[in-house]
Amino acid sequence: MLHAAAEVFPLVKTGGLADVVAALPPALERAGADTRLLLPGLPAIVDALEQQRAVCEIGPAFGAARVTLRRGQLPSSHMPAYVIDAPYLYRRGGGPYQDASGVDWPDNLQRFALLGWVAAHLAAGELDAAWAPDVLHAHDWHAALACAYMAAHPSGACRSVFTIHNLAYQGHFALADFALLGLPASFGAPSGLEFHGQLALMKAGLQFARRVTTVSPTHAREIATPEFGFGLDGVIRDRGADVSGILNGVDGKVWNPQHDPALVVSYGADALAGKLQCKRALQREAGLEPRAEAPLFGLVSRLTAQKGVDLLLAALPALLGSGAQLFVLGSGDRALEAALQTAARAHPGRVAARIGYDEALAHRLIAGSDVILVPSRFEPCGLTQMYGLRYGTLPLVRRVGGLADTVVDAGDAARATGFVFDAATPEALSDAMLRTAHAFRGPDAWQAMMRRAMAQDLSWDAAAASYLALYAQAAAG
Ligand code: ADP
Ligand code: GLC
C-alpha cells in the first residue's frame, strides 16, 4: 500500500490529516500490509527522514530542474517513506500550502501535480525497481492527481483509493493551466477536473479513483447532499456505492492520558484524581479562577467558519451565566482570533484565549478541561472530540459527520458519552451548554459518563481492517 499525502504528524501538520497519515499506515502494517508513504520534500520532512538514500533521479519536472526520489524512515514510527526531493518547489519557509503570511503559494499547481505524478509512476513500478504497491491511497486534493495520472495510463495492476478529509478545500486553479499537467485533453472536461470554469484537483480523486472514502459513515451520506457537498454532491452521487465512510481512530501512542509527557500528572479511568490536578494546572496556566466546581469548557481548533467558533462567541453569555469557564486554543481567521481575545479581555478569570499553534498545550487543554467543545457546521470526522473521549473530557458537539458517529448524548443515560445539539444556532448551542453545566453538577452520573467515554474503543485497528477490506474490493473490482 502506498499512501500519498502532503502532511504527516509531527513533521508537517495543519490539521487532522497529519494525524491520520501518521497513524493509519502503522495500523495497516500491524494488520500485516506492506505499507509505505509518499510525501513532498518539504524541509521538515526531508531533513528528518532517517537512513535516507536516493532511489531514482527523476530529472526535471513541473519547473523543477532537479527532482530526486529518496527513501528512508519516518523518525518516530519508523514507517518506510519515499520523499520527493525537489528543492525548487518544496524547500522554502512558511507552511505546506501557504507562505508565512497566509497567502497560497503561486506554484501550488506544480507542487501538487508533482506529488500526484510521482505517486502514479511509483504505482506503475517505474521508479523503484524493488517495490511497487497494489493499492495507491491518495489523501485530499493535494494527492488527488495521482488517481487521474493512473487512469490516464491504466496499464499497471495498481488500483487507486481516494480519501476526502475535507471537501471544502478542493484545490482550485485556472483552467488555462490544465495544459501544465500533461493529462489527456478529455480530463479537462466537466467529466474530469473542470469545475465551474476552473480546475478542482479534488475532482481527480472523485472521478478517477476506484473507490472514494471519507472519514466517517455519516459524512459519506452527507456529501451526497447539496448542504454538505460543496458543489460536488452530484459527482459524489454519480459514484453511488463506490463512496463509503470509514471512521478515523485515535493514535494511542500520542493521545493517552496514562502516558502523556505534556501533563503535570498522568491519569486513567481508575485514577480520576489526576484529572482534577490537570484542571487546576490548566486554570493556573490560563489565568482562570482556580475553581474546581466551575465546569471548564475547552476548544482546540483551526479558527475557520467550519468550526462554529462564531456560534460559540454568540453563545458566550449563556456559558458565563451558567458559571462555567472557557479556554480556547486556536489560530486562523484574523477576525475570530481578535473576537476571542476581546472576549478574554472582557471576562478575565473566566475566559482565556491562546492564539497560535501549540501541540503540548493542546494536550494539557484536552486533559484539564471538563468538556471539549466541537460546535462545527460540518465535520468530516473530527479528532478533538475523540481525544476528549479518551481523556474523560466529555464532548459537546453538533450532530454532524463524525461527531454524530462518535458521541452519544446524555439523554440516552445507558450509553451517554457527551452532549449533542442539532441546529447551527447560538440558541441551540446555548441550550446544550446549559444542559452540560447542569449535568456537571451531578458528579455520579458525570463520572459514569467519563468512564464510559474513556472505555470506548477508538483504536486505529478497526479502521485499518475496514481499509484492507476496501483495498481488496478495489483490487477485485
Ligand atoms: P481539522 O483537521 O478539520 O482541523 P480535526 O479535529 O480532525 O480537525 O484535527 C485537528 C487536529 O489539529 C487535532 O490534532 C488538534 O489537536 C490539532 N489542533 C488544531 N488547532 C490546534 C492548535 N491551535 N494548537 C495545537 N493543535 C491544534
Ligand atoms: C479534515 C476534517 C476533520 C477530520 C480530518 C482528518 O481536516 O476537517 O473532520 O478529522 O480531516 O480526517
Side-chain angles (χ1 to χ4, degrees):
M1 315 302 161
L2 180 67
H3 283 259
E7 309 183 15
V8 64
F9 174 85
L11 304 178
V12 174
K13 168 166 167 173
T14 71
L17 170 66
D19 293 8
V20 173
V21 174
L24 172 59
L28 292 167
E29 188 97 324
R30 285 197 298 279
D34 174 6
T35 308
R36 300 184 182 183
L37 288 89
L38 174 69
L39 301 161
L42 304 167
I45 296 175
V46 182
D47 297 347
L49 197 71
E50 292 173 348
Q51 296 177 26
Q52 54 175 289
R53 58 181 177 77
V55 175
C56 178
E57 290 296 339
I58 295 175
F62 296 102
R66 188 172 68 72
V67 179
T68 308
L69 186 67
R70 310 184 70 79
R71 204 198 135 186
Q73 284 186 0
L74 292 179
S76 41
S77 64
H78 307 297
M79 282 302 295
Y82 295 96
V83 170
I84 306 164
D85 189 11
Y88 182 77
L89 290 173
Y90 298 137
R91 182 160 287 280
R92 48 182 85 160
Y97 318 116
Q98 299 176 331
D99 67 17
S101 62
V103 176
D104 286 350
W105 295 114
D107 54 355
N108 270 346
L109 184 61
Q110 290 89 331
R111 297 172 76 240
F112 294 105
L114 181 63
L115 177 61
W117 185 82
V118 170
H121 285 270
L122 198 46
E126 290 173 3
L127 301 182
D128 187 346
W131 193 81
D134 297 326
V135 173
L136 178 116
H137 189 153
H139 296 269
D140 264 352
W141 72 262
H142 327 119
L145 277 172
C147 306
Y149 287 118
M150 286 172 69
H153 294 278
S155 55
C158 184
R159 301 289 173 252
S160 59
V161 169
F162 179 66
T163 293
I164 303 164
H165 294 266
N166 198 326
L167 208 48
Y169 302 96
Q170 301 179 352
H172 290 164
F173 297 93
L175 191 56
D177 287 340
F178 175 74
L180 281 175
L181 300 177
L183 284 166
S186 62
F187 282 52
S191 59
L193 276 55
E194 195 269 349
F195 182 64
H196 298 291
Q198 287 188 296
L199 293 173
L201 297 202
M202 187 71 126
K203 282 189 75 185
L206 303 183
Q207 302 277 31
F208 299 113
R210 277 293 178 102
R211 287 286 187 284
V212 176
T213 74
T214 187
V215 285
S216 68
T218 293
H219 197 57
R221 291 189 294 275
E222 288 172 343
I223 55 179
T225 69
E227 187 186 354
F228 294 102
F230 292 93
L232 291 170
D233 44 294
V235 179
I236 305 274
R237 283 194 299 278
D238 285 348
R239 293 299 309 259
D242 289 348
V243 182
S244 61
I246 297 176
L247 196 66
N248 289 334
V250 171
D251 188 344
K253 274 169 55 190
V254 182
W255 292 95
N256 179 355
Q258 288 173 294
H259 304 278
D260 188 334
L263 307 187
V264 286
V265 47
S266 297
Y267 65 90
D270 306 328
L272 286 173
K275 184 163 170 59
L276 193 56
Q277 276 176 266
C278 291
K279 176 173 178 177
R280 256 188 235 119
L282 186 69
Q283 285 173 322
R284 206 175 312 121
E285 175 175 7
L288 294 167
E289 290 162 7
R291 289 168 51 217
E293 73 286 3
L296 173 49
F297 289 72
L299 180 131
V300 179
S301 187
R302 291 185 293 117
L303 301 176
T304 65
Q306 171 185 351
K307 301 296 182 176
V309 181
D310 54 315
L311 301 177
L312 174 60
L313 285 161
L316 200 55
L319 184 139
L320 294 169
S322 75
Q325 299 178 338
L326 174 67
F327 188 8
V328 177
L329 166 64
S331 65
D333 184 293
R334 296 285 179 268
L336 289 171
E337 291 180 350
L340 286 165
Q341 283 171 319
T342 303
R345 272 195 301 274
H347 306 285
R350 307 194 55 196
V351 176
R354 292 284 179 280
I355 302 306
Y357 190 91
D358 186 334
E359 197 70 40
L361 178 54
H363 282 246
R364 296 196 294 278
L365 195 155
I366 288 176
S369 299
D370 297 300
V371 179
I372 186 80
L373 284 162
V374 197
S376 305
R377 290 205 156 69
F378 70 96
E379 198 60 75
C381 178
L383 295 173
T384 58
Q385 86 283 5
M386 297 211 269
Y387 301 153
L389 290 167
R390 197 100 216 268
Y391 280 64
T393 305
L394 301 184
L396 191 175
V397 304
R398 183 154 175 255
R399 198 187 312 278
V400 284
L403 303 173
D405 291 340
T406 51
V407 183
V408 178
D409 183 74
D412 184 349
R415 296 168 54 237
T417 54
F419 303 86
V420 186
F421 68 101
D422 286 284
T425 61
E427 294 72 32
L429 176 57
S430 297
D431 287 350
M433 289 194 304
L434 291 175
R435 215 155 53 82
T436 306
H438 180 74
F440 181 74
R441 301 199 160 94
D444 292 345
W446 188 274
Q447 286 207 4
M449 275 201 276
M450 283 171 73
R451 293 211 168 82
R452 199 175 299 120
M454 295 173 90
Q456 196 164 321
D457 180 10
L458 298 166
S459 82
W460 269 103
D461 296 332
S466 302
Y467 279 112
L468 287 176
L470 183 95
Y471 297 158
Q473 283 172 22

